[in-house]
Amino acid sequence: MRGSGGPRAFWEREQGPVPRPGLPSPPRGPYGSPPPAGTRSASHPEYGSPPAGPPARVGGAVASLVVAVLSLVALVAFTVWSELWFLLLAANAPGVALGITALLKIPDAPEVERYIRYTWACNFAYMAVLAVFLVSLAALAVFFVLLGT
């Protein structure tokens, strides 16, 4: 297990104590070697416990929030340009709110995963509703062009 370089192997192997930020470095033996057994333990107040699992997916939470915000910005820009203010009723506000909630839940990995899924579900539902609206708007425009000629 020690020789494999995959991410799963990294989190499953024994890590040892992890120094906390801002605290002095761990005591070292002569010539920079580790100290003798028993002088350094994970229960020492200067060291945190080894990581229990992979960190929460911060990148996934940020990506889902960026897509939600960009969809909101695009809708607002189109609404201002077309002056169809009723379109703001279909804004992706739940996606933005869930994306922010995912970022606020960072230490708790299962919660972050759940809110990332919720945010992407809102983003995809928003895109589906927008596609249906744009297709119907295009069909209506074609109908009026054919009717006018």
Side-chain angles (χ1 to χ4, degrees), residues 2 9 12 26 32 36 43 74 80 82 88 91 93 95 98 108 117 134-135 147:
R2 203 80 161 138
E12 288 179 352
S43 62
V80 169
S82 66
L88 290 178
L98 290 169
D108 189 11
R117 285 193 305 268
L134 290 178
V135 166
L147 191 64

Side-chain angles (χ1 to χ4, degrees), residues 72-143:
L72 186 64
V73 167
L75 177 72
V76 169
F78 182 72
T79 301
V80 169
W81 175 75
S82 66
E83 296 181 4
L84 300 173
W85 298 105
F86 67 89
L87 291 177
L88 290 178
L89 295 173
N92 193 10
V96 173
L98 290 169
I100 291 171
T101 305
L103 286 175
L104 293 176
K105 302 278 184 178
I106 288 297
D108 189 11
E111 288 289 315
V112 171
E113 292 291 328
R114 181 178 358 183
Y115 281 102
I116 289 173
R117 285 193 305 268
Y118 293 162
T119 306
W120 281 115
C122 283
N123 290 340
F124 289 137
Y126 172 75
M127 295 299 170
V129 168
L130 188 63
V132 167
F133 175 74
L134 290 178
V135 166
S136 62
L137 190 64
L140 190 62
V142 167
F143 176 72

Side-chain angles (χ1 to χ4, degrees), residues 10-58:
F10 174 78
W11 289 109
E12 288 179 352
R13 70 176 170 243
E14 186 66 31
Q15 294 294 319
V18 178
R20 292 185 187 158
L23 294 176
S25 62
R28 303 302 269 171
Y31 308 110
S33 64
T39 60
R40 178 175 140 180
S41 68
S43 62
H44 195 276
E46 290 184 9
Y47 303 101
S49 59
R57 291 185 33 212
V58 178

